[in-house]
Amino acid sequence: MTTEAKTLRDVAVGDCATVARLTGEGAIKRRIMDMGLTKGTEVCVRKVAPLGDPIEVTVRGFELSLRKDEAANVLVN
């Protein structure tokens, strides 16, 4: 039985998750970390735009909008 890693992109609206690790390289990974998404941080998905992009999340007490490709680089538990 194999389990695929769950990303922030897969979290349903209204649910929360904890950041397990970040994927990606260089500038993309640094940008995500600069927004406060680091290992162990709790993230709650608040809204998703009508066409699915961007995703609005609450992290460290503030609202943050992420593109779907950025959210796919955030692995969560």
Side-chain angles (χ1 to χ4, degrees):
M1 183 172 155
T2 60
T3 58
E4 291 186 25
K6 185 176 178 182
T7 65
L8 185 56
R9 183 178 182 172
D10 304 323
V11 178
V13 174
D15 289 346
C16 295
T18 303
V19 176
R21 72 183 184 97
L22 301 175
T23 60
E25 295 294 325
I28 294 172
K29 187 173 182 178
R30 171 53 58 192
R31 183 173 188 274
I32 292 169
M33 290 174 63
D34 288 345
M35 288 188 280
L37 292 167
T38 56
K39 185 176 179 177
T41 304
E42 185 178 48
V43 181
C44 297
V45 177
R46 309 307 273 164
K47 299 179 203 172
V48 176
L51 297 177
D53 199 14
I55 300 167
E56 185 175 304
V57 298
T58 300
V59 59
R60 299 181 189 260
F62 62 91
E63 301 297 319
L64 177 67
S65 292
L66 294 170
R67 296 182 196 124
K68 288 192 326 188
D69 62 333
E70 293 170 335
N73 289 315
V74 181
L75 299 177
V76 297
N77 293 332

